[in-house]
Amino acid sequence: MTEPTLYVVATPIGNLRDMVPRAVEVLQTVDVIAAEDTRHSARLLEHFQVTTRLLAYHDHSDEQQVEYLAGLLQSGQSLALISDAGTPLVSDPGYRLVNRVRQLGIRVVPIPGACALIAALSASGLPSDRFAFEGFLPAKSGQRCNRLQPLAAEERTLIFYEAPHRIAASLADMAAVFGAGREAVLARELTKTFETIAGGSLVELQQFVEADANQRKGEMVVIVRGKVRAAERTLDAEAERVMSILLRQLSVKQASELGAEITGLKKKALYQWALEQRQ
């Protein structure tokens, strides 16, 4: 590596076998690795037999540390930036450093790999052609609802990260702002032993995590279906009559499946209509 380069390196979000070979090679050959938590990253580097010098760079690093790392690059060294897990800069530190390095005209190279929001979205079954990543919501309910309110009319799929001790309260606030019947998916502990991907309405997911303490542990991704346009959720009179009858005796999922067989309409459209009737 002759040209000074900042490598933005993704690391596993759980399963170490998800580490790409190119990432290991880069970490082994750069001059310095800047890590969010050096103690945490030391275990990862030991596993892959990486002995490269390790320095700290995190959200609380001051401008002096940014300039120090940029100075290493200006002196001809190569640097790898990693976070605790996943892709750096995605709800992780790194923006200020990457921005500064680019201002200096120094090469920045991404080394792709694991990213929790993309992994969760790919397995959610929710629309993935257009989505918005909102990161972590505020810790307090009032501030959280204020952040959610402008998103209630958003038609893109919404993706959030959440802490385990706040997941039930966040789902409750989402249900209050978006509507209890809004379709959502909770992806928990992705790539790890107790990986869980659960779908349903927001109120159903809230009840799910409240009923099982194990579902309030680990790393959380919440994916919420965007607001469905009126034209997409309108059913003809006969389909509404059939679904109304089915919903008297069946769950939303069962009614949607049977309704699709009876009417020939798409199950997802019937499911969304049924959810809205239950709000």
Side-chain angles (χ1 to χ4, degrees):
M1 298 182 183
T2 56
E3 181 184 359
T5 304
L6 172 61
Y7 294 89
V8 183
V9 182
T11 57
I13 56 177
N15 194 320
L16 292 179
R17 288 176 295 178
D18 291 336
M19 185 78 163
V20 300
R22 186 182 176 207
V24 175
E25 180 184 356
V26 167
L27 295 180
Q28 289 173 335
T29 53
V30 292
D31 297 297
V32 178
I33 298 171
E36 182 180 3
D37 183 330
T38 55
R39 289 175 298 179
H40 177 90
S41 294
R43 295 191 290 272
L44 174 76
L45 300 183
E46 182 180 3
H47 178 84
F48 289 105
Q49 299 179 328
V50 175
T51 58
T52 305
R53 179 187 176 199
L54 195 61
L55 295 176
Y57 177 79
H58 44 73
D59 275 335
H60 303 294
S61 296
D62 56 22
E63 290 304 316
Q64 184 176 354
Q65 181 70 347
V66 172
E67 291 302 324
Y68 175 74
L69 294 174
L72 294 178
L73 289 160
Q74 288 179 298
S75 71
Q77 299 188 55
S78 289
L79 175 69
L81 173 66
I82 62 175
S83 62
D84 284 350
T87 301
L89 279 73
V90 181
S91 276
D92 280 313
Y95 163 75
R96 288 182 297 140
L97 178 61
V98 171
N99 180 260
R100 177 59 177 147
V101 169
R102 288 186 59 82
Q103 287 177 352
L104 293 171
I106 297 171
R107 186 178 178 219
V108 178
V109 174
I111 308 297
C115 180
L117 78 92
I118 298 300
L121 180 63
S122 71
S124 70
L126 295 179
S128 57
D129 55 333
R130 297 174 65 235
F131 60 90
F133 176 58
E134 289 292 321
F136 285 95
L137 291 167
K140 295 183 179 180
S141 180
Q143 295 174 345
R144 191 160 53 231
C145 288
N146 287 339
R147 174 82 65 83
L148 291 170
Q149 197 64 54
L151 300 173
E154 175 61 66
E155 295 179 357
R156 292 174 295 177
T157 297
L158 299 168
I159 306 176
F160 305 89
Y161 285 168
E162 191 49 277
H165 63 281
R166 292 198 298 263
I167 186 62
S170 285
L171 288 169
D173 286 341
M174 289 180 188
V177 175
F178 297 153
R182 182 79 73 92
E183 188 178 5
V185 169
L186 170 65
R188 186 183 70 86
E189 290 290 84
L190 289 173
T191 80
K192 301 175 186 176
T193 303
F194 299 105
E195 176 181 277
T196 303
I197 302 176
S201 67
L202 283 167
V203 73
E204 288 171 340
L205 287 179
Q206 178 194 347
Q207 293 167 350
F208 172 66
V209 300
E210 287 178 342
D212 183 356
N214 289 321
Q215 303 307 323
R216 301 192 297 276
K217 297 177 181 177
E219 303 295 328
M220 309 275 184
V221 183
V222 180
I223 307 178
V224 182
R225 190 183 187 101
K227 184 176 178 63
V228 179
R229 292 192 296 267
E232 294 179 4
R233 63 173 181 261
T234 300
L235 304 182
D236 60 41
E238 178 59 17
E240 288 191 6
R241 187 185 72 82
V242 169
M243 287 299 295
S244 296
I245 293 171
L246 294 175
L247 286 171
R248 293 174 193 166
Q249 301 294 329
L250 303 175
S251 68
V252 168
K253 181 179 179 181
Q254 292 170 324
S256 302
E257 290 173 348
L258 186 54
E261 291 184 25
I262 295 171
T263 65
L265 297 175
K266 291 184 178 181
K267 182 173 67 176
K268 274 193 172 292
L270 298 175
Y271 184 85
Q272 187 61 38
W273 184 88
L275 284 178
E276 293 179 357
Q277 308 316 300
R278 290 283 174 90
Q279 290 185 23

